[in-house]
């Protein structure tokens, strides 16, 4: 074991730790350092929750930013067929040049392997609500089983029909 206290054990190079730079922040009378702002970037390894991930994907498809087949394998039942019928009309498309963004997304787990979520989506001065249901399969993957937008169920039929 190394007896050199300036170098961590196991370090092979001859350089010791570098000294702190001299500047206005390091002087006793200098400006105080500002604490870092909390943001997602400070926690890059925090996994996104399934309902947040799906909300982003559904928004991308329903706003026309991504094709419907991007959701293939992430939907079950009639959910993919509904998206395939609705995506060409882009119900969440940008208005007046403003791109729609996900404002809030929350989820609840009424049963094991089920998440019911809702999200608010803003595009310019317009805000829309989206609700969806996720189900976890035997392979532990989450898949979208149903989608509703602004109180209207997204069906393959005429708009506004349930």
């Amino acid at each position: 074991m190394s007896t050199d206290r300036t170098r961590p054990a196991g370090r092979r190079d001859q350089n010791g730790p570098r000294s702190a730079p001299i500047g206005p922040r390091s002087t006793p009378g200098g400006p105080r350092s500002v604490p870092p702002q909390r943001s997602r970037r400070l926690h890059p390894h925090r996994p996104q929750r399934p309902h947040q991930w799906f909300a982003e994907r559904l928004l991308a498809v329903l706003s026309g930013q991504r094709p419907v087949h991007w959701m293939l394998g992430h939907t079950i039942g009639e959910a993919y067929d509904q998206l395939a019928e609705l995506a060409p009309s882009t119900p969440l498309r940008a208005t007046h040049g403003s791109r729609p963004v996900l404002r809030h997304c929350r989820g609840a787990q009424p049963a094991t392997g089920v998440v019911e979520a809702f999200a608010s989506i803003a595009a310019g001065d317009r805000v829309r609500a989206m609700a969806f249901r996720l189900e976890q399969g035997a392979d532990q993957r989450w898949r979208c089983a149903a989608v509703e937008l602004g109180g209207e169920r997204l069906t393959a039929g005429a708009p506004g029909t349930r």
Side-chain angles (χ1 to χ4, degrees):
M1 184 158 148
S2 174
T3 58
D4 186 3
R5 294 189 185 268
T6 62
R7 187 174 356 146
R11 188 168 173 175
R12 295 184 183 169
D13 64 350
Q14 296 300 318
N15 296 333
R18 305 220 185 263
S19 62
I22 309 257
R25 292 184 190 265
S26 63
T27 59
R32 295 181 195 157
S33 64
V34 178
Q37 298 292 322
R38 289 191 175 266
S39 72
R40 284 177 120 180
R41 288 185 220 143
L42 293 177
H43 305 288
H45 300 293
R46 179 183 295 173
Q48 199 173 31
R49 294 183 177 185
H51 59 276
Q52 294 167 329
W53 187 82
F54 269 92
E56 293 282 350
R57 288 181 86 86
L58 289 169
L59 172 61
V61 169
L62 294 174
S63 66
Q65 298 171 23
R66 293 288 188 160
V68 176
H69 69 265
W70 197 47
M71 290 296 290
L72 191 62
H74 298 291
T75 56
I76 56 174
E78 296 179 13
Y80 181 79
D81 295 334
Q82 292 171 351
L83 287 172
E85 290 288 326
L86 289 165
S89 67
T90 58
L92 296 177
R93 69 184 163 274
T95 57
H96 306 293
S98 61
R99 185 176 175 185
V101 293
L102 187 65
R103 290 178 58 193
H104 301 286
C105 184
R106 303 281 188 265
Q109 194 166 7
T112 303
V114 175
V115 172
E116 292 180 349
F118 64 92
S120 64
I121 297 156
D125 60 349
R126 189 173 168 196
V127 177
R128 300 280 308 261
M130 178 173 64
F132 54 97
R133 179 183 175 96
L134 303 177
E135 295 179 3
Q136 193 172 29
D139 60 357
Q140 301 301 306
R141 291 181 57 201
W142 292 96
R143 292 180 178 86
C144 184
V147 179
E148 291 187 18
L149 185 63
E152 297 179 17
R153 185 174 192 89
L154 297 180
T155 60
T161 60
R162 286 190 172 240

